[in-house]
Amino acid sequence: MVRSKKLQIGGGNRRQEIVHAAARLFRDRGFHGTTVRDIALAVHMHSGSLFYHFPSKNDILHAGTMEGLASCLAELEAIPVDEMTPIDYFRVLTRTQLDHLLSDRTGLAPLVVDEWRHLTGALRDEVMSLRNRYEALWLAAYERLAHAVGLSRHEKFSCWFFLGALLGTKNWYVRGGEKTPQELGDVLVDWLLAPYLK
Amino acid sequence: MVRSKKLQIGGGNRRQEIVHAAARLFRDRGFHGTTVRDIALAVHMHSGSLFYHFPSKNDILHAGTMEGLASCLAELEAIPVDEMTPIDYFRVLTRTQLDHLLSDRTGLAPLVVDEWRHLTGALRDEVMSLRNRYEALWLAAYERLAHAVGLSRHEKFSCWFFLGALLGTKNWYVRGGEKTPQELGDVLVDWLLAPYLK
DNA sequence: CCTACCGATCGGTAGG
DNA sequence: CCTACCGATCGGTAGG
């Protein structure tokens, strides 16, 4: 809670620049494949200066992962679940998630999916507990859907299959191709639900 | 093609030991998070000795990825597609793939899924061309299935969704849990096909 | 496959 | 946030 004035005023933006630049490098080269000099160069700093903003390289990954995860959660939790049918809600959830993942305006999404694994100790635990909230949201949505349309048992496994299909898109989706991320979300939901919607 | 006698006779096993030990380290710490000294220690060598067997650390990753991918392909291509219905074939394919991925007797599977991305140049190209054969096999199987049971259009996307669900299991499957890999394969196929099988 | 070693680079720090 | 730097470690090599 105790932060220097400098950090609160001027530091905030610079911190974010560092995190976002690092995120893209981590995505392309992996966490351990990226050096602090790579990051510093990308934000036009000298490598030692990074450590004025962050205590360690690990903390940069941690900050990026937490920010990316929090922003994704915020988007998903803003969807008015109580005003929608289970099917509509699930469709909007999927669209929103895919847009977040594939448009990835901040570059942070790949940290949340993959790179966070390189964290250890307390930094990793913090990520895991936020991930639990994320998974709980999806599981609740999937179970609600399953009861509404009569999907099979094994809802826990099925939800994870679905999330695998969803997050796996980042390995093959091509931006500017024939579908926008949101349109791909519709294809995904239809793939799952087509036989139940007739 | 020209190999020293030493490599052909005694070297083969030692080479495999190195590759398999390295694979588990790459899986746990990532390619760049693993040092040649880590690998050497795991096989009770001195770090310099690795370079008697491989020209570089990259070549160890390459060898592991190619071996893992080739062995997976061999298992999948050994399934007698002509003697089975599209549905049965697809089910056996899924079971076999999940057993390969989740039992992972060699430790090479994670290289094929993730770590190969850290390769560059010709080594990466070689992996990609073998991966193309792998993807073509799955796409053919999925299309055959789709025609047989009347799955929706977008077969390319759908197949990739399915592969995402399948390969994504490695992020959450717990060995020795309530399902064997093959049983999980059945759950996965039922998840996809249940409404069409009634 | 070991011994002995190299130049380069790593994450990070001290002092301003 | 820069300057100047550190000790440790990196992937890899020469010579046997």
Side-chain angles (χ1 to χ4, degrees):
Chain A
M1 293 305 116
V2 180
R3 284 215 240 148
S4 79
K5 212 156 198 172
K6 216 165 183 181
L7 254 179
Q8 280 183 8
I9 300 177
N13 287 327
R14 211 69 180 109
R15 247 180 87 97
Q16 269 222 345
E17 282 179 50
I18 294 169
V19 167
H20 290 193
R24 287 161 207 278
L25 290 164
F26 292 159
R27 175 193 60 194
D28 295 339
R29 313 179 187 181
F31 176 66
H32 290 296
T34 303
T35 71
V36 296
R37 283 165 183 81
D38 295 332
I39 301 169
L41 192 67
V43 294
H44 310 293
M45 274 184 192
H46 291 247
S47 65
S49 306
L50 286 177
F51 299 94
Y52 167 78
H53 296 280
F54 293 92
S56 79
K57 184 186 164 191
N58 290 309
D59 286 277
I60 301 179
L61 173 57
H62 174 258
T65 305
M66 292 299 278
E67 186 192 323
L69 191 45
S71 78
C72 180
L73 254 175
E75 281 185 50
L76 299 183
E77 289 177 344
I79 301 168
V81 51
D82 294 331
E83 304 168 17
M84 305 171 81
T85 68
I87 294 177
D88 286 346
Y89 174 65
F90 195 81
R91 185 178 291 275
V92 173
L93 206 61
T94 300
R95 272 192 205 142
T96 304
Q97 172 72 73
L98 270 188
D99 185 55
H100 183 93
L101 178 70
L102 301 177
S103 297
D104 194 25
R105 291 160 197 94
T106 58
L108 300 173
L111 308 193
V112 176
V113 181
D114 294 316
E115 297 302 321
W116 70 273
R117 285 165 215 276
H118 294 111
L119 291 170
T120 55
L123 296 185
R124 187 190 176 105
D125 293 343
E126 267 190 61
V127 170
M128 300 251 296
S129 79
L130 200 53
R131 283 181 66 89
N132 287 343
R133 232 175 83 195
Y134 172 83
E135 280 180 21
L137 182 149
W138 272 103
L139 191 55
Y142 194 90
E143 284 176 343
R144 201 159 155 259
L145 176 75
H147 282 97
V149 304
L151 290 179
S152 71
R153 312 113 304 150
H154 301 301
E155 277 143 16
K156 207 180 51 186
F157 288 151
S158 300
C159 180
W160 287 338
F161 289 146
F162 181 80
L163 284 176
L166 196 165
L167 298 176
T169 58
K170 73 159 185 45
N171 293 325
W172 53 264
Y173 178 74
V174 182
R175 280 191 231 191
E178 50 179 310
K179 301 266 179 212
T180 66
Q182 301 220 8
E183 286 165 355
L184 192 65
D186 281 329
V187 177
L188 173 55
V189 172
D190 290 340
W191 175 68
L192 177 67
L193 294 185
Y196 301 96
L197 295 183
K198 287 184 294 218
Chain B
M1 292 303 116
V2 180
R3 284 214 239 148
S4 78
K5 211 156 198 174
K6 214 167 184 180
L7 254 179
Q8 280 182 8
I9 301 177
N13 287 327
R14 211 72 179 107
R15 247 180 86 98
Q16 269 223 344
E17 282 179 49
I18 294 169
V19 167
H20 290 193
R24 286 160 209 278
L25 290 164
F26 292 159
R27 174 193 61 194
D28 294 340
R29 312 178 188 181
F31 176 66
H32 290 296
T34 303
T35 71
V36 295
R37 282 163 182 83
D38 294 333
I39 300 169
L41 192 68
V43 293
H44 311 292
M45 274 185 191
H46 292 247
S47 64
S49 306
L50 286 178
F51 299 94
Y52 166 78
H53 296 280
F54 294 91
S56 79
K57 186 185 164 192
N58 290 310
D59 286 277
I60 301 179
L61 173 57
H62 174 259
T65 305
M66 291 299 278
E67 187 194 321
L69 190 46
S71 77
C72 181
L73 254 175
E75 282 186 50
L76 298 183
E77 289 178 343
I79 301 170
V81 51
D82 294 331
E83 302 169 17
M84 306 171 80
T85 68
I87 294 177
D88 285 347
Y89 175 64
F90 194 81
R91 185 179 292 276
V92 173
L93 206 62
T94 300
R95 272 191 205 142
T96 304
Q97 171 72 75
L98 270 186
D99 186 55
H100 183 94
L101 177 70
L102 301 177
S103 298
D104 194 25
R105 291 161 196 92
T106 57
L108 301 173
L111 307 194
V112 177
V113 181
D114 294 317
E115 297 302 321
W116 69 275
R117 284 166 215 277
H118 293 113
L119 291 171
T120 54
L123 297 185
R124 186 189 177 107
D125 293 344
E126 266 191 60
V127 171
M128 300 250 298
S129 79
L130 201 53
R131 283 181 65 90
N132 288 343
R133 231 175 84 197
Y134 173 83
E135 280 179 22
L137 182 149
W138 271 103
L139 191 56
Y142 194 90
E143 284 175 344
R144 200 159 156 259
L145 176 76
H147 283 97
V149 303
L151 290 179
S152 70
R153 314 111 303 154
H154 301 302
E155 276 145 15
K156 208 180 50 187
F157 288 151
S158 299
C159 181
W160 287 339
F161 288 146
F162 181 79
L163 284 176
L166 196 165
L167 298 176
T169 58
K170 75 160 185 42
N171 293 326
W172 54 263
Y173 179 74
V174 182
R175 281 191 232 192
E178 50 179 309
K179 301 266 178 212
T180 67
Q182 303 219 9
E183 286 166 354
L184 193 65
D186 281 330
V187 177
L188 174 55
V189 172
D190 290 339
W191 175 67
L192 177 66
L193 294 184
Y196 302 96
L197 297 182
K198 286 184 295 220

